[in-house]
């Protein structure tokens, strides 16, 4: 930096105009990356290596594939693996198709904004709450389960012969329906952003060359943008199916849990948070499947998404024709379908413990007894306070560590940038059940396992990779003019970082909201790493499901209370979430 004609000028003599020379200097770069490297190395990378080692050894003695043969030959393991593959292929396909159809249908309808808002609400709910909601709906007793009552009425069967949605034959379908309900809203938001990013001039150009509606759909939407968007949505949903652990644990009765089991549950059942040979072998199989999916997804999403908008103003898009009747019916039907589970949860919560346990919510008048019982007790308030402090502290630490690491990583180009992106993505999707045993070993050395500090440290380590990935991409996507202005305005690297973070406010907000909601909604991390003095909200709610019928009123009321904060955050920040997540794409 020097003075030219009395003005400050930044001289970039290395690399392309956007990147310039590395910011900051090499010594500062090492210091900035150190916190993230320590967290990821100690609580992600080493536990993965430890799991790999445990899968082929017994007490330090090499046994080769013995643990794999034993684990895969166990009764039901083949069905578990097949069911996991079904989850990873069928459910993301349904989420992707429904997300696109609803995004396209609600784009031009007057009620589209309200429909999208309704669809987004389930995205913010804890999966524990989703499991509670659908277990209430699918209760096998027609006196209590709305879906069972409707199915019995439509099929003309008696209560004893009514279809059992939580029975051994249909339980997986029931679980998948709950997952689709929870995830379609995110797909709609991403597809809506993609549709809005398509320049109207593309469709006009296709029509000018004689293209029909099919040509416009393919050449002006799918080829330039939506094919990659499909890959992004499908990948997000496929990776999200690893969280079916929460749904299965809460939603399925114990008698049919084996018929619904997937690798997420089988690994936990085999190892129970410890490092065992068979559990490690199943974990390695799961890791291999996740890694293969990651590599396939990287072929589609490695470039920037969406492409940067043209700064030159374009002519306004002509007024869209009125949507067809079938489109309006699709939009209205989706809104009603997505509101029914929410209505069931709220209606059940407005009944006392005895009424909710005896019969369905439609048989007795509403009351606030369940809320009064919860709110006058000390346990819920203690759990809410602990979870609020935990989520706030973890979010602040993750954001700080990620900003420090993303700042120097943003200026990498070529193969180093792509390799860093793949490593960050791989670290962000490592299933926590696979590394639970080694992580507990690390916590036993640096902290006492089962404490609030250990629980927070695990959350931080699991949240940092995704936060660094999003912020790095957002920094790298900034225009060169903003980067130069930040370097001029910040005399030191921390001043430059502060200005760059201000320019990337959507990405910072997205990371903060998603991390807070993730910790608030968590069950599995609390189940594996919490102790008597550290009871998070998800674990508190899951504990109430042991006597589900007897506790249904209080459980529904607690689920409503637990959902208020995450729903408000996601609904209020939904535009920043999409803008921040897609800034810079995946490089």
């Amino acid at each position: 930096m020097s003075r030219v004609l009395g003005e400050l000028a930044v001289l970039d003599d290395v690399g392309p105009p956007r990147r310039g020379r590395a910011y900051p200097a090499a010594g500062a770069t090492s210091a900035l990356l150190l916190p993230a490297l320590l967290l990821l190395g100690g609580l992600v990378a080493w536990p993965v290596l430890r799991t790999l080692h445990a899968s082929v050894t017994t007490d330090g003695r090499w046994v080769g594939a013995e643990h794999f043969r034993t684990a895969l030959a166990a009764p039901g393991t083949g069905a578990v693996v097949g069911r996991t593959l079904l989850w990873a292929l069928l459910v993301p396909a349904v989420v992707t198709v429904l997300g696109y159809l609803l995004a396209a249908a609600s784009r031009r309808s007057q009620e589209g904004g309200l429909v999208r808002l309704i669809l987004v609400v389930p995205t913010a709910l804890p999966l524990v709450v989703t499991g509670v909601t659908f277990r209430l709906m699918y209760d096998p007793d027609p006196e209590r389960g709305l879906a069972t009552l409707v199915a019995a009425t439509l099929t003309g069967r008696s209560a004893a012969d009514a279809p059992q949605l939580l029975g051994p034959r249909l339980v997986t379908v029931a679980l998948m329906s709950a997952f689709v309900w929870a995830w379609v809203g995110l797909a709609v938001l991403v597809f809506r952003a993609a549709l809005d990013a398509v320049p109207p001039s593309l469709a006009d150009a296709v029509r000018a060359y004689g293209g029909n509606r099919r040509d416009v759909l393919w050449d002006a939407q799918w080829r330039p943008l939506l094919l990659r968007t499909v890959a992004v949505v499908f990948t997000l949903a496929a990776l999200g199916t690893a969280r079916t652990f929460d749904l299965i644990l809460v939603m399925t009765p114990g008698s049919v849990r084996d018929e619904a089991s997937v690798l997420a549950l089988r690994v936990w059942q085999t190892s129970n948070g410890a490092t065992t040979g068979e559990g490690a072998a199943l974990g390695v199989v799961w890791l291999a499947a996740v890694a293969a999916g990651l590599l396939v997804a990287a072929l589609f999403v490695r470039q920037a998404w969406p492409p940067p908008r043209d700064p030159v103003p374009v002519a306004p898009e002509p007024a869209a024709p009125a949507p067809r009747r079938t489109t309006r019916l699709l939009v209205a039907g989706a809104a009603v379908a997505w509101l029914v589970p929410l209505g069931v949860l709220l209606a059940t919560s407005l009944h006392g413990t005895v009424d909710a346990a005896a019969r369905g919510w439609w048989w007795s008048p509403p009351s606030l007894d369940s809320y009064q019982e919860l709110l006058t007790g000390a346990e819920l308030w203690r759990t809410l306070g602990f979870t609020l402090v935990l989520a706030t502290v973890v979010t602040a630490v993750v954001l700080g560590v990620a900003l420090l690491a993303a700042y120097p990583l943003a200026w990498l180009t070529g193969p180093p940038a792509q390799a860093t992106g793949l490593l960050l993505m791989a670290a962000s999707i490592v299933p926590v059940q696979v590394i639970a045993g080694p992580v507990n070993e690390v916590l036993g050395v640096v902290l006492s396992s089962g404490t609030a500090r250990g629980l927070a440290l695990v959350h931080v380590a699991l949240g940092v990779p995704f936060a660094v990935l999003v912020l790095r991409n957002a920094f790298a996507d900034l225009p060169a003019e903003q980067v130069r202005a930040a370097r001029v305005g910040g005399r030191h690297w921390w001043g430059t970082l502060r200005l760059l973070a201000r320019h990337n406010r959507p990405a910072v907000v997205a990371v903060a909201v998603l991390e807070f909601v993730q910790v608030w909604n968590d069950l599995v991390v609390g189940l594996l790493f919490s102790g008597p003095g550290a009871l998070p909200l998800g674990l508190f709610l899951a504990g109430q499901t042991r006597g589900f019928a007897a506790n249904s009123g209080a459980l529904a009321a607690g689920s409503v209370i637990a959902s208020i904060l995450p729903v408000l955050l996601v609904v209020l920040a939904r535009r920043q979430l999409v803008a921040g997540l897609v800034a810079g794409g995946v490089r």
Side-chain angles (χ1 to χ4, degrees):
M1 188 166 63
S2 62
R3 288 189 175 272
V4 179
L5 298 179
E7 298 292 335
L8 287 174
V10 178
L11 304 179
D12 289 333
D13 55 355
V14 176
R18 172 176 285 187
R19 300 292 189 263
R21 67 166 59 130
Y23 321 122
T29 296
S30 301
L32 294 175
L33 292 174
L34 184 60
L37 290 176
L38 289 176
L39 285 167
L40 297 182
L43 292 174
V44 178
W46 186 87
V48 168
L49 295 176
R50 176 73 177 90
T51 300
L52 291 172
H53 179 264
S55 69
V56 293
T57 60
T58 299
D59 297 327
R61 179 176 52 87
W62 175 267
V63 295
E66 179 181 334
H67 294 315
F68 290 90
R69 287 193 295 267
T70 303
L72 295 176
T77 302
V80 168
V81 174
R83 205 174 292 120
T84 304
L85 293 176
L86 184 66
W87 270 95
L89 296 175
L90 178 61
V91 174
V94 174
V95 169
T96 303
V97 172
L98 276 180
Y100 172 73
L101 291 177
L102 293 175
S106 63
R107 189 183 179 197
R108 295 178 176 179
S109 62
Q110 296 177 351
E111 59 276 356
L114 177 60
V115 172
R116 288 191 297 274
L117 183 63
I118 293 172
L119 296 177
V120 166
V121 170
T123 305
L125 296 179
L127 275 180
V128 174
V129 173
T130 301
V132 169
T133 301
F134 277 80
R135 187 165 176 181
L136 290 170
M137 281 187 57
Y138 294 161
D139 192 293
D141 184 358
E143 293 287 321
R144 293 164 33 85
L146 179 63
T148 306
L149 175 63
V150 172
T153 304
L154 293 177
T155 58
R157 299 181 181 181
S158 63
D161 297 330
Q164 300 296 307
L165 295 171
L166 292 180
R169 296 179 59 185
L170 297 177
V171 63
T172 297
V173 176
L175 288 164
M176 288 180 174
S177 67
F179 185 90
V180 170
W181 180 79
W183 273 74
V184 161
L186 178 62
V188 170
L189 286 182
V190 175
F191 274 117
R192 175 61 191 272
L195 289 169
D196 290 344
V198 175
S201 56
L202 286 179
D204 296 336
V206 174
R207 294 189 188 98
Y209 282 92
N212 54 28
R213 292 184 63 180
R214 186 176 62 180
D215 297 325
V216 170
L217 177 64
W218 177 251
D219 294 323
Q221 289 188 2
W222 283 97
R223 287 180 62 185
L225 184 60
L226 291 183
L227 278 177
R228 187 175 299 137
T229 308
V230 166
V232 171
V233 173
F234 188 94
T235 303
L236 287 175
L239 296 176
T241 57
R243 298 182 58 202
T244 53
F245 177 89
D246 297 24
L247 273 180
I248 295 174
L249 201 64
V250 173
M251 188 173 160
T252 58
S255 59
V256 299
R257 192 161 292 164
D258 288 341
E259 283 74 10
S261 181
V262 293
L263 278 176
L265 187 67
R266 180 58 69 93
V267 170
W268 174 69
Q269 290 174 330
T270 304
S271 61
N272 197 23
T275 306
T276 63
E278 293 182 21
L282 286 175
V284 170
V285 172
W286 192 6
L287 282 175
V290 171
L294 173 64
L295 291 176
V296 172
L299 297 176
F300 294 94
V301 301
R302 65 181 183 272
Q303 297 179 357
W305 182 91
R309 292 180 179 272
D310 189 354
V312 179
V314 297
E317 189 175 2
R324 296 182 177 183
R325 183 179 181 183
T326 54
T327 302
R328 297 179 67 92
L329 288 176
L330 174 64
V331 171
V336 172
W338 258 253
L339 278 175
V340 169
L342 295 174
V344 169
L345 179 66
L346 183 60
T348 305
S349 72
L350 293 174
H351 288 79
T353 303
V354 176
D355 290 339
R359 307 183 78 180
W361 50 268
W362 56 90
W363 294 106
S364 57
S367 71
L368 297 176
D369 291 348
S370 293
Y371 286 99
Q372 185 176 3
E373 178 183 345
L374 274 177
L375 297 177
T376 54
E379 188 174 9
L380 177 65
W381 289 110
R382 184 165 55 249
T383 301
L384 286 173
F386 173 79
T387 307
L388 179 62
V389 173
L390 177 68
T392 302
V393 171
V394 169
T395 300
V397 175
V398 166
L399 195 59
V401 173
L403 281 170
L404 294 179
Y407 176 53
L409 293 178
W411 319 119
L412 295 176
T413 57
Q418 294 178 358
T420 302
L422 285 175
L423 289 174
L424 288 171
M425 185 180 293
S428 65
I429 61 176
V430 171
V432 66
Q433 296 97 317
V434 174
I435 59 174
V439 168
N440 273 317
E441 294 174 7
V442 174
L443 293 179
V445 174
V446 299
L447 293 168
S448 56
S449 183
T451 64
R453 289 179 300 168
L455 181 62
L457 191 61
V458 174
H459 273 299
V460 170
L462 296 176
V464 162
F466 181 74
V468 173
L469 182 65
V470 172
L471 293 173
R472 182 207 69 151
N473 293 342
F475 283 164
D477 200 48
L478 283 175
E481 294 77 13
Q482 289 187 349
V483 176
R484 296 178 192 277
R487 292 189 63 198
V488 171
R491 294 183 177 273
H492 303 283
W493 64 262
W494 54 85
T496 305
L497 175 59
R498 179 177 55 83
L499 293 174
L500 290 175
R502 183 181 300 174
H503 292 315
N504 274 306
R505 188 170 299 171
V508 174
V509 171
V511 168
V513 171
L514 288 176
E515 184 60 32
F516 186 94
V517 171
Q518 171 66 25
V519 178
W520 182 275
N521 292 349
D522 170 72
L523 168 62
V524 62
V525 177
L527 181 65
L528 292 172
F529 303 105
S530 65
L535 182 64
L537 188 57
L539 194 57
F540 170 78
L541 292 176
Q544 304 297 312
T545 62
R546 294 190 182 98
F548 192 89
N551 294 331
S552 56
L555 186 57
S559 298
V560 171
I561 294 172
S563 303
I564 293 174
L565 184 55
V567 167
L568 284 177
L569 287 175
V570 170
V571 167
L572 293 177
R574 62 188 184 278
R575 291 185 177 87
Q576 289 88 342
L577 286 177
V578 175
L581 286 177
V582 304
V586 180
R587 287 180 171 81

